[in-house]
Amino acid sequence: MAAAAFHPPRRKRRVFESYESPFPVEVGGKDFRMCRAEILLNNVIVTNPEDIKQLYNKGYFGKGILSRSRPVYSISDPSLVSKWQGANINMPIITAKKYQYHVQWAKSVLQEQGLDGCSVTKILENYTKPLELPLLEEDGAKRTAASCNRMGPSTENTELSRQLSADTGNVVDPSAEDEDNGCKKACLEGDPAFDPVCGPKQEQSDLKEKAEVSCQEHGFLAHCGCKAEESTEQKSCAMMKSKECAPEYVLVQEEEECSVCPEDETAHGQESLVKKEKLVCRRNPFRIFEYLQLSLEEAFFLVYALGCLSIYYGEEPLTILKLWEVFSEVKPDFKTTYMAYHYFRSKGWVPKVGLKYGTDLLLYRKGPPFYHASYSVIAELVDDNFEGSLRRPLSWKTLSGLNRTTANASKELMLCYLIKPSDMTEKDMSTPECMKRIKVQELIVTRWVSSRERCEKEEL
């Protein structure tokens, strides 16, 4: 058998971050942090921003649900941020069209909770009204929103009027009607601490069942972070007052037409109209949160191997044995893929899901920000004689196609055989302790080219 040649990993041209500790565990235990995750719709997600930062920065575990890899999603529009960079603001900036999408999403959520159209419209109008509060100059002096207007020359017969309004959260005093709809407004926020099962007192029992059904059908448990367990009015109102439940304020770029030269309206009325762009501060009625989604293998490795993660289902943390059982039910081949994941992680690789290349795992050196994936791995569980019910029986045709797909992506195809003793039973596989008796053998599949092989022999 010919020995496989080792090819060094391809380093990425542009690297914008530094390499930290490979695992979220410090040697001295000074900065040790126990992170928390939850099982939601057969997925493991992390919602705490500090836990997300800890898990991804030290080991590149998981993936942002709204980002390509690193959870860096922001509602702010980068083009608008660069456009208004001279305004010295520290708030998200979005377009009016994008803001209307959030209003429509909030409207659909309220309608699914059983509220009539008139009430929904009134709530949204009151919640999304413009807010004007003083701002701070660079030197710390206060200025009003009216003093933030900036009129400048326009090269395309348009002028910019940059009106900036910000909110600190202590000016808008809720009226009696606002207090009655306090729980409804909290539902618009989409914060994980909020409960969308809130509403008027007389409709609490009727709306509770409707909201729970709508959340389960439309995925609002992951989208807006609602919690059906805490559906009482007292709990939801108490969480509204906490700092974590504070509303999100955004700056919306809006346009309006105005006349610069009123005296010329008779002769040049059309030419005197210009567009004035301004930033208006409003509350975001439908917040979108960036969560970290862990694969089952990553989640179990953090619990079993590193001991820095607790996974909850509801309000109860699951034990290692229970997780082994639950993950095996959710994913029938979980035991095989996790053994391969555990093996390569212990060797210093960063395994990620290899679904996009038709394999089980992708192996990165250090992490995805630094190198491209070097190997595409297929894991198989066999006995001492390399026999057993293979998960993916490969024919020559499928193997050739998979190898060509992997080679076109500048990777190598690796077959990882997990060899178990012949006397190991299913009962022995019911606990993760069975990995102590498992042996691993790797096989790199390469394409044999006859002309290249002949030329190499002639040169020798």
Side-chain angles (χ1 to χ4, degrees):
M1 179 181 297
F6 175 78
H7 298 283
R10 291 193 307 127
R11 187 175 180 86
K12 291 189 174 181
R13 295 182 179 180
R14 298 180 180 179
V15 179
F16 301 98
E17 57 186 271
S18 59
Y19 182 70
E20 297 185 19
S21 176
F23 297 126
V25 175
E26 298 293 338
V27 178
K30 299 179 181 179
D31 299 331
F32 177 79
R33 178 186 178 90
M34 178 60 71
C35 302
R36 171 169 176 163
E38 296 181 1
I39 296 180
L40 182 62
L41 301 177
N42 296 335
N43 295 305
V44 181
I45 62 171
V46 182
T47 59
N48 191 329
E50 294 297 329
D51 294 344
I52 293 175
K53 181 179 179 181
Q54 179 83 353
L55 294 177
Y56 191 86
N57 289 348
K58 296 185 178 181
Y60 303 100
F61 292 93
K63 175 190 177 298
I65 62 173
L66 301 176
S67 306
R68 295 184 60 184
S69 180
R70 174 178 290 277
V72 293
Y73 172 79
S74 176
I75 187 178
S76 188
D77 191 343
S79 61
L80 294 183
V81 172
S82 60
K83 178 180 179 180
W84 296 88
Q85 60 183 354
N88 297 326
I89 54 178
N90 191 19
M91 295 176 62
I93 306 177
I94 61 176
T95 60
K97 183 178 180 180
K98 186 174 182 180
Y99 185 77
Q100 289 301 320
Y101 288 149
H102 288 252
V103 175
Q104 292 296 329
W105 296 336
K107 183 178 180 180
S108 62
V109 172
L110 290 179
Q111 290 176 347
E112 290 178 357
Q113 293 178 4
L115 300 179
D116 58 293
C118 182
S119 300
V120 171
T121 303
K122 189 174 183 180
I123 291 172
L124 289 176
E125 288 180 354
N126 190 24
Y127 192 84
T128 60
K129 60 184 179 181
L131 304 172
E132 296 184 0
L133 286 180
L135 300 175
L136 292 178
E137 292 277 10
E138 293 181 357
D139 55 355
K142 291 187 177 180
R143 61 176 179 175
T144 60
S147 64
C148 296
N149 298 338
R150 296 184 181 181
M151 298 295 293
S154 174
T155 57
E156 298 180 358
N157 198 23
T158 60
E159 294 184 2
L160 286 181
S161 173
R162 301 189 176 184
Q163 288 185 340
L164 194 54
S165 301
D167 191 2
T168 57
N170 56 356
V171 170
V172 181
D173 296 327
S175 60
E177 181 180 356
D178 296 338
E179 293 178 357
D180 294 337
N181 297 329
C183 291
K184 299 177 185 177
K185 294 180 180 181
C187 300
L188 301 178
E189 290 299 316
D191 194 283
F194 288 139
D195 182 6
V197 193
C198 52
K201 297 180 181 179
Q202 63 272 17
E203 299 177 358
Q204 181 68 27
S205 58
D206 298 334
L207 296 180
K208 177 179 179 181
E209 183 178 356
K210 294 180 181 179
E212 291 177 351
V213 173
S214 64
C215 286
Q216 294 176 359
E217 290 180 354
H218 301 281
F220 288 137
L221 288 173
H223 192 69
C224 59
C226 60
K227 296 183 180 179
E229 305 88 13
E230 302 174 355
S231 58
T232 62
E233 184 178 358
Q234 293 80 5
K235 290 185 179 180
S236 60
C237 293
M239 287 183 290
M240 286 170 52
K241 298 178 181 179
S242 63
K243 295 182 179 179
E244 296 180 356
C245 304
E248 181 185 29
Y249 299 96
V250 296
L251 297 175
V252 184
Q253 179 179 276
E254 300 179 356
E255 293 184 357
E256 60 180 2
E257 291 184 353
C258 63
S259 178
V260 178
C261 302
E263 62 276 3
D264 298 336
E265 289 183 357
T266 57
H268 304 284
Q270 298 294 332
E271 298 179 359
S272 62
L273 294 178
V274 296
K275 290 183 179 180
K276 181 173 66 176
E277 296 180 348
K278 61 180 180 178
L279 292 180
V280 180
C281 180
R282 300 177 186 270
R283 294 190 188 95
N284 183 12
F286 192 90
R287 298 184 66 178
I288 300 178
F289 292 88
E290 176 79 294
Y291 295 154
L292 185 71
Q293 181 176 356
L294 299 173
S295 66
L296 300 184
E297 293 80 9
E298 291 173 330
F300 194 82
F301 182 83
L302 291 170
V303 175
Y304 174 71
L306 301 183
C308 62
L309 181 68
S310 296
I311 300 179
Y312 286 74
Y313 183 73
E315 295 297 327
E316 294 293 332
L318 301 181
T319 62
I320 293 178
L321 294 179
K322 187 63 177 177
L323 286 174
W324 184 264
E325 178 184 353
V326 170
F327 288 172
S328 299
E329 293 178 359
V330 173
K331 186 177 180 180
D333 55 351
F334 167 75
K335 298 176 182 178
T336 302
T337 55
Y338 176 74
M339 291 178 186
Y341 181 93
H342 190 107
Y343 171 77
F344 289 113
R345 265 289 184 181
S346 63
K347 295 294 184 180
W349 294 95
V350 179
K352 306 296 286 188
V353 178
L355 182 62
K356 59 183 177 181
Y357 294 108
T359 57
D360 298 320
L361 298 173
L362 292 176
L363 301 185
Y364 293 85
R365 184 177 185 267
K366 288 189 176 181
F370 306 100
Y371 292 91
H372 295 278
S374 301
Y375 299 99
S376 298
V377 182
I378 294 179
E380 291 289 355
L381 184 63
V382 296
D383 56 12
D384 294 336
N385 299 322
F386 283 85
E387 296 179 355
S389 56
L390 299 180
R391 299 170 47 250
R392 304 177 55 174
L394 297 175
S395 63
W396 284 111
K397 183 181 295 185
T398 57
L399 181 61
S400 176
L402 185 61
N403 186 32
R404 182 176 290 273
T405 301
T406 305
N408 290 340
S410 300
K411 298 171 180 53
E412 292 185 278
L413 181 61
M414 178 186 296
L415 303 180
C416 178
Y417 290 100
L418 305 165
I419 306 172
K420 66 176 182 179
S422 302
D423 58 347
M424 181 176 288
T425 61
E426 289 295 331
K427 185 178 180 180
D428 298 332
M429 298 281 293
S430 60
T431 63
E433 296 297 319
C434 64
M435 290 188 294
K436 297 179 179 179
R437 304 178 58 188
I438 298 294
K439 298 180 180 179
V440 182
Q441 182 171 344
E442 305 139 339
L443 179 64
I444 298 178
V445 180
T446 57
R447 182 186 176 196
W448 183 76
V449 182
S450 59
S451 59
R452 183 185 305 170
E453 184 74 12
R454 183 172 59 253
C455 293
E456 290 178 357
K457 288 185 177 180
E458 292 177 354
E459 290 178 358
L460 293 177

